[in-house]
């Protein structure tokens, strides 16, 4: 089973403890339930700021803390890895471990 949730806000905090709100034209949180396990990722399009995507595109340290909010006020947070696609101005945050929902 796969659940897709539209996001309205997405913030990442890197190893320097600096939080940056990502801009995007669309972002979806995808939660995949398969064989008793749960995996998650966030897929964005038209992402920015460009400097941030460039940083994670060339960096060896791509782990971040992610917080996301939906239009109905739900919040999600967890540890993720940033996979930036600079030519397409997009990125995917691949979830690592548990996704917290509040």
């Amino acid at each position: 089973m796969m659940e897709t949730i539209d996001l309205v806000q997405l913030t990442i905090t890197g190893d320097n403890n600096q939080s940056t709100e990502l801009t995007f034209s669309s972002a979806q949180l995808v939660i995949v339930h398969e064989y008793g396990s749960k995996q998650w990722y966030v897929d964005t399009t038209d992402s920015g700021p460009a400097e941030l995507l460039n940083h994670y595109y060339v960096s060896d340290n791509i782990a971040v803390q992610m917080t996301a909010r939906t239009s109905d006020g739900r919040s999600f947070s967890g540890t993720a890895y940033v996979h930036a696609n600079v030519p397409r101005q997009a990125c995917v945050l691949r979830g690592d471990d548990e996704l917290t929902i509040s």
Side-chain angles (χ1 to χ4, degrees):
M1 183 176 104
M2 185 167 72
E3 180 181 7
T4 303
I5 303 165
D6 290 328
L7 301 175
V8 296
Q9 185 179 29
L10 185 59
T11 303
I12 61 172
T13 304
D15 62 345
N16 60 0
N17 288 326
Q18 181 177 347
S19 294
T20 304
E21 187 170 330
L22 290 178
T23 58
F24 51 82
S25 63
S26 69
Q28 292 82 33
L29 170 63
V30 179
I31 303 171
V32 180
H33 303 269
E34 188 173 69
Y35 303 112
S37 66
K38 183 164 64 169
Q39 300 172 344
W40 61 273
Y41 64 91
V42 174
D43 191 12
T44 69
T45 56
D46 297 325
S47 303
E51 314 82 57
L52 185 70
L53 291 182
N54 288 333
H55 168 76
Y56 285 108
Y57 187 70
V58 298
S59 179
D60 289 332
N61 188 4
I62 59 173
V64 295
Q65 292 298 312
M66 181 235 34
T67 57
R69 188 172 52 80
T70 65
S71 61
D72 64 3
R74 290 181 292 164
S75 294
F76 297 86
S77 62
T79 301
Y81 296 96
V82 179
H83 298 279
N85 185 338
V86 171
R88 300 194 118 191
Q89 281 307 113
C91 71
V92 171
L93 304 175
R94 182 178 47 85
D96 181 36
D97 204 20
E98 196 166 326
L99 179 66
T100 304
I101 304 168
S102 57

